[in-house]
Amino acid sequence: MADLLGPWLVVGGYALSFGLMWLANWLEERRSTRAAVCYAFSGIAFSLTSLYWLSASTASAIPLFGWIAFPLVVTALISWRGWHQRSWIKRLDSAGEPTFGFLPHNGRAVALDHPDPWPRRTTVEFTHQGHRLLGMEYSTQSPFRNETFEQLGKVSEELDSISAVVEVRVPEVPALTISPNTQAFEPDFFTPLEDARIVRNQFGWLRPDTTLHSFKVDPEFDRRFSVYTSDPEFAAAVLTGECREMIMNDPWFRVHQVAFYGNALWTTDAGGLTEDRMFGNSRRLAMLAAVVPAPVWEVWGGDRISMASSHGPTRVTTPGSASAAASSARR
């Protein structure tokens, strides 16, 4: 009898876990406490089902307490993360809606007035050390677009489809992306962890919503990075020796794509928007903007000194002030 019921218990347990997750997602905006309880029971159902399946197939005994405690701990960590995120955003006294930059849509960075951007989970915009910064946490677009599968799509987004973008305001410029390559150091060095992170981040990378063409810089740089641009002259002016040296020598650029377009310079990460990610990524972006030669901002940006907005200034550096700008970006 146990052999006959076993497969159905496994299927039923996973179905119950999925149903509870679906219910929790539906309750999240209505009853947050009940949603948290459903998430916890969903995790417990998943763990107990996995425990039964593993025990039955391997004839091994796994402590029941561990399988129950695991989803509870995960639920507590998710709840703490949400509370912590709200706390540091509230402390910044940030604007609720972006006033510059771009929104995510199908892997593209689209204008603020786009009719159908991806759903944003969190948005924060503020001025820090003279730079206007924008951070967004968003879900990749679900393939389920009709009302019948709306909740199923939301559940799939919760599982493994969250990314974060950090943007720094700059003068209007053409499009340029600089993306790290996997296996760039082989055969001399094997970097599986870096390569895995590059691939992980690629799922959320936002590319400028315009036509881009491949641009070759030099053999060593091209071995490590792929460059695409809408204006080859702009790319050549940005990627000077000092700029290339900084990108090649800083490990941060080994796993992060950076993009210039319009009035924003940005990077994206797989995972949620944290305080460390917000300030750490914006600091690297500000340092990159600081080593861009001043004539780039003067010729392509159309602004010799600075670009003001109703919410704060955006610094455009000159070669003499590059180091000062980089220092000011540090917390």
Side-chain angles (χ1 to χ4, degrees):
M1 180 65 69
D3 293 339
L4 294 175
L5 292 179
W8 292 107
L9 290 175
V10 173
V11 172
Y14 285 131
L16 175 62
S17 175
F18 185 82
L20 287 170
M21 183 180 293
W22 191 332
L23 178 61
N25 189 273
W26 182 79
L27 289 171
E28 192 163 10
E29 296 182 359
R30 299 169 176 82
R31 298 286 189 275
S32 57
T33 302
R34 295 180 185 179
V37 172
C38 287
Y39 277 128
F41 278 110
S42 173
I44 291 174
F46 182 88
S47 294
L48 290 178
T49 303
S50 300
L51 168 65
Y52 173 81
W53 191 4
L54 195 61
S55 299
S57 61
T58 62
S60 61
I62 301 176
L64 182 63
F65 172 77
W67 289 88
I68 297 178
F70 177 75
L72 294 177
V73 171
V74 171
T75 301
L77 289 175
I78 293 175
S79 301
W80 176 85
R81 177 190 171 278
W83 172 83
H84 182 67
Q85 185 184 71
R86 290 190 297 271
S87 298
W88 68 262
I89 290 177
K90 183 178 180 180
R91 187 173 70 248
L92 293 172
D93 192 25
S94 66
E97 289 296 321
T99 61
F100 77 96
F102 299 91
L103 301 178
H105 174 76
N106 287 335
R108 297 282 181 175
V110 298
L112 299 181
D113 58 355
H114 193 276
D116 186 29
W118 282 356
R120 283 176 285 141
R121 301 162 58 94
T122 301
T123 302
V124 54
E125 182 182 330
F126 59 101
T127 299
H128 179 68
Q129 297 291 346
H131 299 274
R132 193 66 182 172
L133 310 179
L134 172 64
M136 286 182 289
E137 178 180 299
Y138 58 92
S139 299
T140 55
Q141 184 63 59
S142 167
F144 306 105
R145 300 295 292 171
N146 57 60
E147 294 182 359
T148 304
F149 295 105
E150 181 180 1
Q151 293 300 320
L152 181 61
K154 289 183 179 180
V155 171
S156 68
E157 289 174 358
E158 291 289 339
L159 295 178
D160 191 30
S161 301
I162 299 175
S163 295
V165 59
V166 174
E167 306 180 29
V168 174
R169 185 168 183 173
V170 297
E172 294 277 346
V173 292
L176 169 65
T177 66
I178 307 166
S179 309
N181 297 326
T182 58
Q183 301 178 338
F185 295 91
E186 294 184 358
D188 297 328
F189 298 99
F190 183 48
T191 56
L193 296 180
E194 284 190 352
D195 290 348
R197 189 173 177 188
I198 292 171
V199 173
R200 179 82 173 94
N201 284 341
Q202 283 177 343
F203 289 103
W205 280 353
L206 297 181
R207 293 156 179 83
D209 191 23
T210 187
T211 302
L212 300 176
H213 302 283
S214 178
F215 180 81
K216 299 300 181 182
V217 182
D218 63 49
E220 181 61 22
F221 193 87
D222 295 337
R223 183 170 68 92
R224 301 188 187 185
F225 299 92
S226 296
V227 178
Y228 289 86
T229 184
S230 62
D231 187 336
E233 292 185 3
F234 172 71
V238 169
L239 293 172
T240 60
E242 183 181 3
C243 186
R244 295 199 305 270
E245 182 179 358
M246 175 186 171
I247 293 173
M248 293 179 67
N249 292 334
D250 190 332
W252 183 88
F253 291 95
R254 272 289 306 131
V255 293
H256 288 87
Q257 181 202 53
V258 295
F260 295 78
Y261 186 43
N263 62 359
L265 166 62
W266 72 86
T267 188
T268 47
D269 267 295
L273 181 67
T274 64
E275 185 175 11
D276 289 342
R277 181 167 288 166
M278 181 75 227
F279 284 100
N281 287 359
S282 63
R283 179 171 69 90
R284 284 316 204 291
L285 294 175
M287 293 171 64
L288 176 61
V291 299
V292 172
V296 171
W297 306 122
E298 297 171 7
V299 175
W300 281 273
D303 194 342
R304 298 183 62 86
I305 305 299
S306 63
M307 185 176 182
S309 71
S310 59
H311 297 280
T314 297
R315 182 173 305 161
V316 180
T317 61
T318 62
S321 63
S323 60
S327 297
S328 69
R330 297 186 175 90
R331 295 184 62 192

